[in-house]
Amino acid sequence: MLGAFVNAFRTPDLRKKLLFVLFIVAIFRLGSQVPAPGVHVANVQECFNSIEDGSIYGLINLFSGGALLQLTIFALGVMPYITASIILQLLVVVIPRLEALKKEGQSGQAKITQYTRYLTLALAVLQATGIVALARTGNLLPNCNRDLLYRDSWQTAALMVITMTAGTAIIMWFGELITEKGIGNGMSILIFTQVVATFPASLWAVQQSEGPWVFGSVILIGLIVMAAVVFIEQAQRRIPVQYARRMVGRKMFGGSSTYVPLKVNQAGIIPVIFASSLLYLPTMAVQFNQDSQSQWVQWISTYFVRGDHPLYMIAYFLLIIFFTYFYVAINFNPQEVADNMKKYGGFIPGIRAGKPTEEYLSYVLSRITFPGALYLGLISLIPLVALILVNANQNFPFGGTSILIMVGVALDTVKQIESQLQQRNYEGFLR
Amino acid sequence: MTLIDKVLRIGEGKILRQLEAIAKAVNAIEDDFVAMSDDELRGMTDEFKRRLADGESLDDLMPEAFATVREAAKRVLGQRPYDVQIMGGAALHLGNIAEMKTGEGKTLVSTLPAYLNALSGKGVHVVTVNDYLAKYHAEWMGRIHHFLGLTVGVITPDLRPDARREQYLCDITYSTNNEVGFDYLRDNMATSLDNCVQRGHNFAIVDEVDSILIDEARTPLIISGPTQDEVHWYAEFAKVAERLQKDTDYEVDEKKRTISILEPGITKVEDYLGIENLYESANTPLISFLNNSIKAKELFRNDKEYVVLGDEVLIVDEHTGRVLSGRRYNDGLHQAIEAKEKVTVREEYQTLATITLQNYFRLYDKLAGMTGTAMTEASEFDKIYKLGVVPIRTNKPMARVDQKDLVYRTEEAKFAAVVDDIAERHQTGQPVLVGTTSVQKSELLSGLLKERGVPHAVLNAKQHADEAKVVAVAGHRGAVTVATNMAGRGTDIMLGGSVDFLADQELRAKGLDPVEHAEEYEAAWQETHDRVAEQVKAEHDEVAALGGLYVLGTERHESRRIDNQLRGRSGRQGDPGESRFYLSLGDDLMRLFKSDWVERVLLALKVPDDVPIENKSVTKSIQSAQGQVESQNFESRKNVLKYDDVMSRQREVIYAERRAVLEGEDLTDQVRQMIDGAIETYVLAATEGFPEEWDLDALWTALRTIYPVSLRVDDLEREAGGRDGLDRGTLVSDLQADAQKAYDAREASVGPDRMREVERQVLLSVLDRKWREHLYEMDYLREGIGLRAYSQRDPLVEYQREGYDMFNAMKEGIREETVGFLFNVEVQEVDEDELEDEHDHDDHEHHDHEHDHRHVRAKGFEPHAEPQQLSYSAPSEDGEVEVRTERGDDSPYANAGRNEVCPCGSGKKYKRCHGAPGGPTGQISRVG
């Protein structure tokens, strides 16, 4: 992997691309540190340092690399875009017009992308308003009584909302710039940097509070988990596909190179996001009713606010498994795949085109999704379990989501760099 | 106009100002050149060359060089390039696309940059769309270059390699895109340097550049050879397809042009063929037959996508409306259509070499282009070719009026209105050109006009014998011409008729033939010409007074450019003119791409059928339909190119190495390395794990197929003290040393010089075969790579990775096979005489071998082991000459031009004799 990077830096135009990515990432990180207008930086810093865990925006904060709670211009980070993409992905299944667009190919896809952008902006306005409102009332950072804003007027608030929304738009643009002129998928790389950004700090926090032994074992566990993730992320079932081609001469070409790849973890990280979002809902409800003494608040506070209760873990695990199946069903439609294959003359040897192919694909898919779902659930439980083991209060740095994102993006990007390197290093047979 | 187009236009003003400055500079020094004598003017060429050698750049020389050419053109042709033409020439020199309207003298423009760039001595290629134009330009414009002391060459299909090379060595070479492309491919299939003809790719000026780089972007040049094919299946499946019902047995997606078979259909087919499961691996070919036969039935329509002439199915080019004779759909589709039309099913050809025209033209250090319509595609030219588009204003202001579209609800109503309009115009005497989108539509309209009693001429892929005549008189008073896209790009319709053509006609009517009575013809020419010119002038003015040529389009095309090309037939050189499109919601384009609500709106509005709809949203929806098609095509071109880039890199590497081998590079070291490499691969593959587990006997057996192994397993084991003592590294090096010794021995027995020759021949032969197989495998990989997207992988990246692996596997294969053959091939000596005899059967011409009177020949490796019959297929503008089948150069028909006398001695023109579709087959062996 490092070798690929070194070689890439030796190739002039690849170096240009990589430097471009680094440049954009640098601006992105910078923007994540620049406070939005009207923010009382000193107060925010103080409050920020005093918080521990349990913020309702944990996941969002993870995706924004800590920028959210510091109320910077890029406070919203990539989260609105991710949410918008997920929503549209779900809508495509539901709304026939969108489905037709998706099937139209490139031009339809471009339209869907355009809708995603609009939705991103709408969501950004919404989220920014929410956060600014929380900041004004002092509920953003719990246990903090200082004023987060200099002047609490609606003008300031509006300015902040506009700034943050504009920041989101710029981030979106950055992502597309990287995809176009740099290397890898821009949005993924930006998420990657945000996730990695909080990494050293939270790791160091473990060393500070728990001492070197725990620190060492955390790193060890992290590495093992990472290796496992790399292994499983690469795993796929390859269903061979043949294309009806004319045989040329007597030789039959192209044996095994065409197949439908079914990943063990076909769903990616989305089910985890879904599950955690859903589990945040009760926590959020409690947060808003902190003073209430009613029974359900008590109950939720006992079982669901902190992640170390077995009941919470079980719920989390089951939800992930459910969402894995749910998302795979949306993401990979056997009927569509079978149809597409049929149209372009492909078929699975021995299996009829159309319905039987569809059934076969569903059969294999449901079999392979089961271990995939278990794996996702387990990976996501690791930080919760580790939380208990090391008795640490803060976010466990090797959280399942973080690792999944880091490994996924890194694998993809390195593969792209490698393939670009290959394209530039074709060698003949005469050396 | 999209935002991108707008952004691209920002730079336009700047470059136009730059061009104007150049034109001014040329004007400023013009008088000096006018004063020069012919010799002084000619002397400028040498002076420019000298200054170039002294370090001045071509750009520095531009104003003076242009002024020189301007003066020369005035003296030689009597045409002085206008300022706008100077600007166009400068735009070309700066590597742009010059957008110039019809009749603005693009040809003269191209002489300016051609002359300037030829000064560098590296060669300039001027690429036109057909052989006729190439020849004509070379002769006509060549006079200017000759006058200025440059050499001018022209590549025609009938040239042999030696002559071709000479033409390419000229300062300026005129040719067609297919000729230069095929020469490039042939150079890279050549088995001897004597057969390579091109020298580098310095600068090309491409005429009708949008047609070549955009419309034809998806159809590559292909050189192919025949393969065995089970022809009888096609007829079977044509019958099967007949029996199947649309929508119950299979589905059709017209928009994407795909079909898919449904369950009941599968059952029917299985019953018909009497097989258990159609989708068994063994039945793969049958599925391909089935798919093709249904496609042939549903998606390919007679007189639309193709025409049947004689015993042949001929593709009609969608962009030019011309028949592409010899070009065939691939992968068995053409055969399926032949079976459907019940004509003779011809066997399939296998690709031997291929390149897309874009990738060919990207080989040039500098590229420039001319066309009448490029602006709409400016962003594509910029993105993919880094070519800017510069619209050059017309010399006289454009006087054509483009009327608003008239939209009807049904096609019938539209055609009724069209006929009314034509009849009306015909009454007044205004000439009318009617553009249709297919042969079938042109015939339909022709029928309607006949009913109405309007005399008219028809020009389409089926009726094109009198093309020149039809076009020449299309500008006459009262002429009505119904044409397909054939009358689009490149046809020059002059008001009042073409002087040259009419003069020629008149002389012929008097019984004077330019060939048979050459002298009398020439004598009478000038007088007749002048007289006819006068008549034509009078009629021109009359027709112009009537409003000039009226262009009537009956349907929108796939892109705005083609519409604009059709419009551009009218209003040349400041003539008046008018154009209008009649559309209906039943047109293919509207049917497939409009949104449903348009129809509903119309129904709600209760517009009668025969009243044109004037509604903003309808107009908008037409625009968006065309926009959709354009962007869909753009995406698909972009996609093709992305994947083709991978192939392109591989091709560059292979061709470069092939060239090195061909140029006689000493291969000793490489061969030695190949031997080491092959041995290493074998040994490493056999020695995985512990020494006890190695199957050395199998290894030895395998190695013996490569070279005579002299080492023995027992000896090696004894030396190492038992099996355990063996070590991979030493095993490899021992065997390598052994193989090298064996090769030394072989070289000694054959003789070093001859060994070099054998090495070269073996390597070339293995390389060509492996490369061919590789092409096919890459094609197959490309087909299924889209499935990778299901695991969230980018198919392009996957294609790049696997293509790379396959390339390496091919290299490995080349090494192994080459080594094996080098050890085992039988080396013969062939005398010169004998060789000559054999060369009679080769597909390349005889060449002298004075340097060596004996030839070394590796048995089984004839230098020309290619299939003897090669077929060239390419996108082609006039659809006549570009595609030909040849049985090597010794077939007298291989190089016969279509308009030349047939080599068989019948006295008929080739295209009427052996070259005619369905004519005598052109495969007799050389006489004498």
Side-chain angles (χ1 to χ4, degrees):
Chain A
M1 177 165 161
L2 281 178
F5 274 108
V6 171
N7 282 332
F9 268 102
R10 288 208 189 106
T11 319
D13 55 335
L14 265 183
R15 182 172 53 219
K16 224 171 110 193
K17 285 184 170 184
L18 285 176
L19 287 177
F20 180 79
V21 173
L22 288 180
F23 172 67
I24 294 283
V25 165
I27 303 181
F28 179 51
R29 285 304 302 159
L30 185 72
S32 303
Q33 304 298 325
V34 175
V39 173
H40 196 301
V41 181
N43 283 356
V44 169
Q45 280 302 330
E46 217 159 295
C47 287
F48 188 70
N49 291 336
S50 71
I51 58 156
E52 291 185 338
D53 188 36
S55 158
I56 53 168
Y57 290 108
L59 192 68
I60 303 176
N61 204 30
L62 173 69
F63 281 123
S64 74
L68 176 77
L69 297 181
Q70 304 195 32
L71 294 170
T72 66
I73 53 176
F74 286 168
L76 301 179
V78 285
M79 201 58 187
Y81 184 83
I82 296 173
T83 321
S85 321
I86 294 174
I87 292 179
L88 260 144
Q89 223 169 355
L90 297 179
L91 286 183
V92 164
V93 186
V94 185
I95 301 176
R97 204 178 105 71
L98 285 178
E99 199 185 344
L101 268 184
K102 191 187 166 202
K103 282 191 176 161
E104 211 171 74
Q106 296 269 17
S107 59
Q109 203 60 51
K111 260 199 191 125
I112 293 184
T113 311
Q114 194 61 26
Y115 293 151
T116 313
R117 291 185 193 132
Y118 293 143
L119 187 61
T120 305
L121 286 189
L123 287 175
V125 172
L126 228 93
Q127 287 188 13
T129 316
I131 286 165
V132 172
L134 281 175
R136 283 176 76 181
T137 54
N139 278 337
L140 182 65
L141 302 169
N143 318 321
C144 177
N145 305 320
R146 295 163 196 271
D147 281 341
L148 296 181
L149 308 180
Y150 272 118
R151 232 180 318 121
D152 189 11
S153 68
W154 67 268
Q155 285 99 331
T156 317
L159 187 62
M160 286 180 73
V161 170
I162 291 172
T163 310
M164 286 180 181
T165 310
T168 307
I170 289 175
I171 292 171
M172 214 159 37
W173 181 55
F174 281 170
E176 283 168 21
L177 270 183
I178 292 180
T179 311
E180 198 181 323
K181 295 191 176 159
I183 206 160
N185 179 313
M187 217 34 102
S188 311
I189 287 179
L190 292 183
I191 300 173
F192 179 82
T193 54
Q194 295 299 55
V195 170
V196 173
T198 54
F199 219 79
S202 42
L203 251 179
W204 192 242
V206 174
Q207 143 86 13
Q208 292 278 302
S209 58
E210 307 294 328
W213 282 108
V214 177
F215 177 67
S217 54
V218 164
I219 289 191
L220 191 71
I221 296 173
L223 288 179
I224 292 170
V225 173
M226 221 179 255
V229 171
V230 170
F231 184 71
I232 296 188
E233 283 299 308
Q234 306 259 57
Q236 48 178 232
R237 167 92 150 87
R238 296 177 171 179
I239 301 176
V241 172
Q242 271 189 356
Y243 276 86
R245 284 213 84 173
R246 302 289 312 111
M247 272 183 285
V248 170
R250 263 149 291 166
K251 191 168 174 184
M252 186 70 187
F253 292 93
S256 57
S257 54
T258 50
Y259 52 83
V260 177
L262 295 178
K263 279 171 77 173
V264 171
N265 179 19
Q266 183 78 14
I269 144 175
I270 307 279
V272 184
I273 296 183
F274 279 1
S276 7
S277 309
L278 209 65
L279 281 177
Y280 273 123
L281 289 179
T283 320
M284 198 146 60
V286 170
Q287 200 107 24
F288 282 115
N289 296 290
Q290 259 163 355
D291 309 326
S292 158
Q293 292 301 315
S294 69
Q295 221 167 0
W296 66 270
V297 172
Q298 292 297 327
W299 190 77
I300 287 174
S301 307
T302 326
Y303 296 111
F304 280 94
V305 168
R306 279 178 51 108
D308 51 4
H309 197 281
L311 194 63
Y312 177 91
M313 289 192 200
I314 290 168
Y316 191 44
F317 187 75
L318 289 179
L319 272 176
I320 287 178
I321 289 185
F322 167 75
F323 278 121
T324 305
Y325 272 94
F326 174 76
Y327 192 68
V328 166
I330 285 174
N331 190 346
F332 187 97
N333 182 351
Q335 191 200 338
E336 200 187 296
V337 179
D339 265 7
N340 267 335
M341 271 167 48
K342 198 165 62 174
K343 271 187 188 163
Y344 297 102
F347 65 95
I348 301 168
I351 296 175
R352 282 177 165 216
K355 197 86 189 151
T357 300
E358 186 190 327
E359 277 161 8
Y360 178 72
L361 284 174
S362 318
Y363 169 78
V364 176
L365 189 64
S366 62
R367 291 286 180 107
I368 203 169
T369 304
F370 186 64
L374 285 184
Y375 147 82
L376 262 188
L378 287 177
I379 289 284
S380 311
L381 278 185
I382 285 172
L384 301 183
V385 175
L387 214 65
I388 303 168
L389 287 184
V390 301
N391 199 20
N393 242 355
Q394 54 274 94
N395 267 330
F396 180 67
F398 291 100
T401 345
S402 330
I403 293 188
L404 281 174
I405 291 172
M406 287 193 300
V407 171
V409 176
L411 277 177
D412 261 13
T413 312
V414 169
K415 267 196 180 149
Q416 274 208 26
I417 294 177
E418 265 177 12
S419 83
Q420 298 241 5
L421 268 176
Q422 286 174 346
Q423 293 311 298
R424 280 159 187 80
N425 291 326
Y426 265 111
E427 272 180 355
F429 51 90
L430 306 175
R431 266 180 296 178
Chain B
M1 198 192 303
T2 67
L3 188 68
I4 296 171
D5 287 334
K6 269 186 200 152
V7 171
L8 285 171
R9 270 171 183 268
I10 290 174
E12 214 171 79
K14 197 173 136 210
I15 183 143
L16 277 177
R17 278 195 298 282
Q18 192 187 349
L19 298 180
E20 262 159 23
I22 293 165
K24 251 185 220 144
V26 174
N27 283 337
I29 54 174
E30 186 170 5
D31 290 344
D32 302 344
F33 289 83
V34 173
M36 284 186 190
S37 71
D38 283 3
D39 282 337
E40 279 172 329
L41 203 56
R42 201 166 294 135
M44 290 309 289
T45 304
D46 288 331
E47 196 197 317
F48 289 144
K49 281 187 181 166
R50 209 196 59 240
R51 281 166 59 187
L52 208 57
D54 288 349
E56 281 192 54
S57 73
L58 287 177
D59 293 356
D60 299 336
L61 295 176
M62 178 153 46
E64 289 163 82
F66 280 13
T68 309
V69 178
R70 178 185 252 186
E71 188 54 28
K74 205 168 86 187
R75 291 185 194 181
V76 178
L77 302 179
Q79 297 175 355
R80 173 183 168 274
Y82 302 118
D83 285 1
V84 286
Q85 287 177 314
I86 298 281
M87 285 168 65
L92 292 180
H93 170 69
L94 298 174
N96 289 298
I97 291 173
E99 189 188 70
M100 304 182 78
K101 300 279 175 259
T102 325
E104 289 291 312
K106 280 183 291 187
T107 320
L108 190 58
V109 168
S110 68
T111 57
L112 299 160
Y115 171 77
L116 176 58
N117 284 275
L119 292 172
S120 70
K122 287 186 208 147
V124 173
H125 295 172
V126 182
V127 182
T128 61
V129 286
N130 62 46
D131 295 306
Y132 165 74
L133 282 179
K135 233 181 204 161
Y136 175 76
H137 288 176
E139 282 166 14
W140 201 241
M141 298 299 148
R143 288 165 63 190
I144 302 175
H145 299 304
H146 283 306
F147 177 81
L148 291 171
L150 293 182
T151 51
V152 176
V154 54
I155 307 288
T156 49
D158 49 332
L159 286 183
R160 293 186 151 247
D162 279 345
R164 267 173 201 270
R165 191 166 40 247
E166 262 169 45
Q167 303 296 323
Y168 275 116
L169 282 172
C170 292
D171 291 317
I172 299 166
T173 308
Y174 284 84
S175 180
T176 64
N177 48 66
N178 292 342
E179 285 302 324
V180 285
F182 280 136
D183 277 336
Y184 174 71
L185 289 179
R186 261 190 305 244
D187 278 2
N188 286 300
M189 289 169 68
T191 43
S192 138
L193 257 193
D194 300 327
N195 290 320
C196 294
V197 298
Q198 287 186 339
R199 56 150 179 170
H201 298 90
N202 175 41
F203 176 47
I205 304 173
V206 183
D207 195 10
E208 303 294 359
V209 66
D210 59 327
S211 156
I212 288 166
L213 295 187
I214 290 187
D215 294 338
E216 304 297 356
R218 281 175 294 176
T219 33
L221 299 173
I222 296 172
I223 296 184
S224 52
T227 54
Q228 297 90 343
D229 204 4
E230 295 171 71
V231 167
H232 71 276
W233 278 111
Y234 290 107
E236 280 303 303
F237 273 92
K239 274 184 234 157
V240 174
E242 282 288 291
R243 296 183 171 205
L244 299 179
Q245 296 276 321
K246 186 176 171 178
D247 293 332
T248 51
D249 295 332
Y250 58 86
E251 284 173 332
V252 181
D253 183 342
E254 264 191 273
K255 216 158 144 183
K256 290 207 175 121
R257 301 191 63 77
T258 55
I259 55 104
S260 45
I261 184 126
L262 299 173
E263 208 104 338
I266 298 174
T267 318
K268 274 189 199 168
V269 174
E270 283 168 354
D271 287 350
Y272 183 86
L273 298 174
I275 53 174
E276 194 64 31
N277 185 352
L278 185 59
Y279 288 89
E280 286 300 346
S281 261
N283 294 333
T284 314
L286 298 184
I287 297 171
S288 138
F289 287 123
L290 178 64
N291 283 347
N292 279 332
S293 61
I294 299 177
K295 265 191 193 164
K297 180 182 167 197
E298 289 293 336
L299 296 172
F300 292 84
R301 290 154 292 181
N302 195 354
D303 283 350
K304 180 120 176 85
E305 278 81 11
Y306 64 92
V307 294
V308 181
L309 286 179
D311 191 34
E312 238 181 319
V313 169
L314 299 169
I315 304 179
V316 176
D317 186 307
E318 55 177 331
H319 300 114
T320 62
R322 286 162 199 276
V323 159
L324 302 170
S325 61
R327 177 136 129 221
R328 297 168 68 76
Y329 295 115
N330 47 13
D331 286 334
L333 182 56
H334 207 94
Q335 285 80 355
I337 298 175
E338 285 170 334
K340 168 186 150 195
E341 295 293 342
K342 304 203 167 53
V343 300
T344 312
V345 177
R346 286 160 181 80
E347 61 193 359
E348 168 126 25
Y349 277 60
Q350 179 196 354
T351 305
L352 301 180
T354 170
I355 190 171
T356 54
L357 280 172
Q358 315 102 297
N359 264 326
Y360 172 73
F361 282 112
R362 292 210 290 188
L363 291 172
Y364 284 88
D365 298 334
K366 189 160 91 181
L367 185 63
M370 312 179 280
T371 176
T373 45
M375 212 59 227
T376 51
E377 249 69 33
S379 63
E380 181 167 349
F381 282 121
D382 179 60
K383 262 192 220 151
I384 295 181
Y385 304 97
K386 304 263 172 283
L387 283 169
V389 177
V390 185
I392 306 290
R393 64 185 158 82
T394 52
N395 188 38
K396 294 177 190 166
M398 167 69 76
R400 188 185 68 229
V401 185
D402 293 329
Q403 304 284 6
K404 256 218 264 159
D405 297 344
L406 293 180
V407 186
Y408 292 84
R409 212 167 63 80
T410 65
E411 213 168 356
E412 291 78 40
K414 175 184 80 179
F415 275 115
V418 166
V419 172
D420 285 346
D421 193 5
I422 295 173
E424 214 170 282
R425 305 266 174 179
H426 177 65
Q427 283 283 311
T428 67
Q430 186 177 16
V432 183
L433 173 69
V434 189
T436 58
T437 49
S438 68
V439 176
Q440 184 204 343
K441 293 272 163 64
S442 68
E443 282 172 352
L444 171 80
L445 188 61
S446 167
L448 292 172
L449 285 173
K450 245 179 229 153
E451 274 173 36
R452 196 58 177 270
V454 179
H456 62 274
V458 178
L459 185 61
N460 62 31
K462 275 176 159 176
Q463 306 177 36
H464 61 103
D466 299 329
E467 181 179 354
K469 187 179 165 197
V470 170
V471 171
V473 301
H476 270 304
R477 194 194 145 95
V480 175
T481 314
V482 177
T484 56
N485 285 344
M486 278 175 85
R489 189 182 295 283
T491 24
D492 202 358
I493 298 178
M494 298 176 218
L495 296 186
S498 153
V499 177
D500 290 352
F501 182 82
L502 291 172
D504 182 62
Q505 287 279 302
E506 190 167 311
L507 288 174
R508 278 169 198 267
K510 284 184 190 158
L512 295 178
D513 187 278
V515 180
E516 283 167 36
H517 319 90
E519 278 177 30
E520 297 144 67
Y521 185 91
E522 289 299 333
W525 172 256
Q526 197 56 43
E527 183 267 329
T528 319
H529 185 273
D530 291 347
R531 190 163 37 75
V532 171
E534 205 120 307
Q535 287 169 13
V536 167
K537 177 88 180 60
E539 191 169 347
H540 171 274
D541 293 345
E542 188 190 344
V543 173
L546 289 167
L549 181 68
Y550 177 56
V551 171
L552 192 155
T554 55
E555 208 169 308
R556 280 296 176 87
H557 296 95
E558 274 201 351
S559 87
R560 285 170 290 167
R561 273 181 309 106
I562 303 179
D563 294 342
N564 291 341
Q565 283 286 358
L566 181 62
R567 283 205 168 106
R569 296 316 101 199
S570 167
R572 68 187 287 283
Q573 293 184 349
D575 283 342
E578 195 179 339
S579 76
R580 166 165 270 163
F581 273 81
Y582 280 78
L583 313 173
S584 87
L585 299 185
D587 298 348
D588 280 354
L589 182 80
M590 295 300 291
R591 206 159 43 82
L592 297 179
F593 288 95
K594 69 150 192 278
S595 33
D596 298 331
W597 58 266
V598 174
E599 186 97 49
R600 261 179 272 144
V601 167
L602 291 179
L603 279 176
L605 287 174
K606 294 227 172 69
V607 186
D609 279 359
D610 55 350
V611 173
I613 304 153
E614 295 210 29
N615 183 312
K616 254 204 187 132
S617 61
V618 173
T619 322
K620 237 180 114 186
S621 121
I622 294 167
Q623 275 170 4
S624 95
Q626 211 170 17
Q628 261 187 63
V629 186
E630 273 176 27
S631 70
Q632 188 176 313
N633 287 340
F634 172 50
E635 286 301 333
S636 105
R637 285 192 298 269
K638 219 167 67 182
N639 221 17
V640 166
L641 203 68
K642 267 195 262 172
Y643 284 91
D644 204 38
D645 277 347
V646 181
M647 277 310 304
S648 182
R649 283 180 208 278
Q650 299 186 348
R651 186 168 41 227
E652 275 163 29
V653 171
I654 288 294
Y655 281 2
E657 300 221 314
R658 198 180 184 285
R659 186 77 186 196
V661 175
L662 210 54
E663 280 170 355
E665 186 178 303
D666 188 357
L667 297 172
T668 328
D669 291 348
Q670 275 87 10
V671 168
R672 297 290 181 163
Q673 274 175 23
M674 282 184 191
I675 294 172
D676 284 352
I679 302 284
E680 191 178 343
T681 318
Y682 269 74
V683 176
L684 291 188
T687 54
E688 301 267 328
F690 297 105
E692 296 84 55
E693 294 166 2
W694 299 349
D695 188 353
L696 291 183
D697 289 336
L699 174 63
W700 249 249
T701 317
L703 285 177
R704 278 197 199 96
T705 63
I706 309 186
Y707 84 101
V709 190
S710 71
L711 293 177
R712 289 175 39 172
V713 184
D714 300 348
D715 295 344
L716 283 175
E717 277 180 8
R718 203 171 326 114
E719 241 172 73
R723 189 47 92 81
D724 295 345
L726 281 176
D727 152 82
R728 271 175 127 181
T730 48
L731 195 58
V732 169
S733 52
D734 285 352
L735 281 164
Q736 282 174 341
D738 186 41
Q740 298 290 4
K741 226 164 43 200
Y743 197 69
D744 289 342
R746 179 149 177 91
E747 190 169 325
S749 80
V750 176
D753 287 346
R754 269 186 281 161
M755 202 63 211
R756 296 293 88 77
E757 185 61 30
V758 173
E759 280 167 0
R760 183 151 54 243
Q761 286 183 16
V762 166
L763 191 54
L764 280 181
S765 166
V766 172
L767 168 64
D768 286 348
R769 188 160 40 78
K770 285 281 175 188
W771 173 242
R772 219 153 54 215
E773 288 172 10
H774 179 70
L775 283 182
Y776 195 84
E777 292 210 44
M778 288 292 283
D779 236 21
Y780 191 82
L781 175 66
R782 167 89 180 77
E783 193 158 19
I785 205 75
L787 297 172
R788 303 296 165 83
Y790 289 123
S791 62
Q792 289 100 41
R793 297 255 173 90
D794 182 353
L796 180 64
V797 173
E798 295 282 297
Y799 181 73
Q800 288 170 339
R801 293 170 63 88
E802 292 199 19
Y804 185 79
D805 292 345
M806 276 162 63
F807 185 79
N808 285 338
M810 174 191 69
K811 266 167 35 186
E812 201 51 55
I814 290 175
R815 280 201 199 111
E816 266 169 41
E817 272 190 37
T818 305
V819 172
F821 277 125
L822 279 176
F823 275 109
N824 298 317
V825 87
E826 194 182 315
V827 178
Q828 299 176 317
E829 270 183 28
V830 188
D831 284 341
E832 176 81 348
D833 300 344
E834 213 177 307
L835 194 77
E836 280 298 322
D837 286 348
E838 284 190 39
H839 263 251
D840 279 351
H841 303 290
D842 293 341
D843 55 1
H844 291 278
E845 54 149 10
H846 309 255
H847 29 74
D848 60 333
H849 301 283
E850 277 161 29
H851 56 284
D852 181 7
H853 279 269
R854 279 186 313 179
H855 264 258
V856 184
R857 165 77 63 80
K859 200 175 179 184
F861 285 91
E862 275 84 351
H864 311 300
E866 302 298 332
Q868 292 281 295
Q869 182 176 325
L870 299 182
S871 164
Y872 300 86
S873 86
S876 115
E877 191 63 22
D878 72 347
E880 292 240 324
V881 199
E882 316 310 343
V883 188
R884 53 188 191 276
T885 301
E886 58 182 46
R887 193 195 170 276
D889 280 359
D890 59 356
S891 160
Y893 302 104
N895 294 319
R898 286 183 59 84
N899 288 313
E900 290 173 6
V901 174
C902 184
C904 73
S906 67
K908 293 190 221 166
K909 277 188 178 178
Y910 176 62
K911 65 178 176 188
R912 300 261 172 274
C913 185
H914 280 80
T921 42
Q923 290 175 19
I924 55 172
S925 47
R926 187 189 186 82
V927 189

